[in-house]
Structures are given as C-alpha cells and as structure tokens.
Amino acid sequence: QWYLNDALVASATDDSLDATLPGQYTLVTTDDNTGCTATTEPVTVAVETIATLVIDATDGTTACTGSTVTLSIASQANTVQWYRDDVPLAITTETLVVDQSGVYTVRAFSELGCASDMSAAVEVTIVDPPAIPEVIITEPTSFCTGGGVTFIADAGPDVAYQWTNNGDAIDGATESQYTALTSGAYAVTVSNTGCSVSTTSVDVVVFPLPDVPTISTDGSELTASGTGTYQWFLDDVLIDGAVNASYIPEQNGSYTV
C-alpha cells in the first residue's frame, strides 16, 4: 500500500506507483502469512512547474517588407524555443526578430526536460508597400493668383491618400487627386495596411496679381498707373498695339486698361 505524506493513496496497491503529486512517498508491505508489515524510507518527489510564457509585441505586429517586428519574453532561467506556424525555429533567445508573416508561439524547457504550456499565439503580418504612383500634372505649376493646378495619383485599389505641402499634411486632402491653389512643394503619401510611400515633391509657384490700375487724363491723353506691361481696350475690345502706360484715344467710347 502506497502513502503520500502518511495519507493512504487510493487504489495504490501495486509494487510501483506513477507519482504525479509532490510530497513524501512510502510503501507499506504486508506478509500474507504472518500479517507482519514493513515500511520503506520516505522518498521525496518534487513536481516541477514551469510558467507559461507571455509574448510581448509592444511595437506592434505589422511591418512593411524590409522591416521587422520584435517579439520578446521576460528574462528566463530556462531554455526557450520559438515556433512559427508550429514549426520550431533555430532561435532560443528571449528576443525574436521577425521578418516573415506567420503565427508565433514560444515555450520554456527546464534542465530536467520539463516543458511549459505553449504560449498564446501572436500573429505577425509583413506587408508589401504600395507602388509609388506616377503623379499626373494637368496644368502648369506656375500661375497667377486665382488659378490652380490639379495633381492626379493612381496607386490602385485599397490604398489611402494624404497630400502634403512642404511636408505638412493638408487637412481633408485624402483623395487620389488634389488641386493646389497656393505656392509650396506638393507630394502625396500612399498607404496600405501598415506601409506607406511618398512621391517626389513638385514645386508650385503662385504669382500675385498687380494692383488694379487707375486712369488719369492730361488733355486728350490717358495714362494708367502701375508698372509692367499694359493693354488698352475700347468698349471691351482690345486695341491693337496699345500696350504702353499712356494712350491717346482716336474714337469716342469707354476706355479701360
């Protein structure tokens, strides 16, 4: 009859016992003829328990192709074994640098060969970045105030757009095209799940409009204020060759410049 910590072990009447609990085991044997008994010296059994490891993926589990995800566990006195999709990896350190998609787990092994339960799984996704789109420019990139230039980028389906000016995101500019009305260096960033790429910037220059000229008279001569090039009109019709600041009318009518 087997005993554990002096308590009878139920149905344990064979000459061997598979011990599954920690404690002191003894065996009492009885002579069937005389009824005499003998008790063995106690044998102490220690059952080793190894805690299940917890994977830390603080920096996230998604990365772009060419980048990595770092998985780690708390410092261990035991040997560790990492797995990807249930296949053992040749990695036994407490930190695993991942550059392939898959489901990752880890378990610990003691010097006695005891193993912990498998950790909870962490799924890592390595994503190909979208292609850098070609930007179509519909108008000249230099124009006067009041004009504009439209940029069109087509990076395909399932991507997000963010247009920028001088490196700063433009509020609400999240479609595949954008019309620039002010000066700056324009580019677009295209993103999918976890990855983004940006186009080379395009410089836009917006010229200010000249002041609206005023017309003064000196006898029969009309003179416009301001500097630059001029064009006179008679009754809203262009006067050929009238391109100076002053003009002497030859007909009655309404003159503008």
Side-chain angles (χ1 to χ4, degrees):
Q1 175 62 58
W2 289 92
Y3 291 81
L4 172 59
N5 298 329
D6 296 328
L8 183 144
V9 179
S11 302
T13 57
D14 293 332
D15 58 0
S16 63
L17 175 69
D18 291 330
T20 58
L21 296 173
Q24 288 191 326
Y25 287 83
T26 54
L27 174 63
V28 176
T29 59
T30 303
D31 189 315
D32 292 336
N33 295 320
T34 64
C36 296
T37 62
T39 302
T40 63
E41 290 294 322
V43 174
T44 300
V45 173
V47 177
E48 187 175 43
T49 301
I50 304 176
T52 303
L53 302 179
V54 177
I55 299 176
D56 181 13
T58 304
D59 295 331
T61 58
T62 301
C64 299
T65 300
S67 299
T68 59
V69 169
T70 299
L71 307 178
S72 62
I73 56 172
S75 179
Q76 291 292 310
N78 299 310
T79 301
V80 299
Q81 175 64 62
W82 291 90
Y83 301 81
R84 181 178 62 245
D85 300 329
D86 296 326
V87 177
L89 302 173
I91 304 294
T92 58
T93 57
E94 294 159 358
T95 299
L96 177 67
V97 178
V98 175
D99 61 2
Q100 296 184 45
S101 296
V103 176
Y104 289 82
T105 51
V106 64
R107 73 190 329 163
F109 293 89
S110 71
E111 292 183 358
L112 298 178
C114 298
S116 69
D117 289 336
M118 191 70 80
S119 70
V122 172
E123 184 171 4
V124 172
T125 304
I126 305 298
V127 181
D128 290 330
I132 298 176
E134 177 187 2
V135 176
I136 299 172
I137 304 173
T138 60
E139 295 94 6
T141 57
S142 298
F143 49 87
C144 296
T145 299
V149 56
T150 298
F151 301 112
I152 302 173
D154 184 5
D158 303 322
V159 296
Y161 297 87
Q162 177 61 66
W163 292 90
T164 61
N165 184 12
N166 296 328
D168 297 324
I170 303 171
D171 187 36
T174 56
E175 301 297 330
S176 60
Q177 67 179 51
Y178 178 74
T179 299
L181 305 176
T182 59
S183 297
Y186 288 84
V188 65
T189 297
V190 181
S191 304
N192 58 13
T193 304
C195 298
S196 61
V197 293
S198 297
T199 61
T200 302
S201 61
V202 177
D203 291 330
V204 171
V205 178
V206 180
F207 302 114
L209 296 176
D211 294 333
V212 177
T214 59
I215 299 175
S216 60
T217 60
D218 182 8
S220 62
E221 185 178 50
L222 305 178
T223 301
S225 64
T227 59
T229 59
Y230 298 83
Q231 177 61 61
W232 290 88
F233 296 80
L234 171 59
D235 297 329
D236 295 327
V237 177
L238 181 147
I239 303 172
D240 188 38
V243 294
N244 296 317
S246 298
Y247 179 72
I248 298 175
E250 298 176 352
Q251 300 179 47
N252 293 335
S254 176
Y255 288 85
T256 55
V257 65

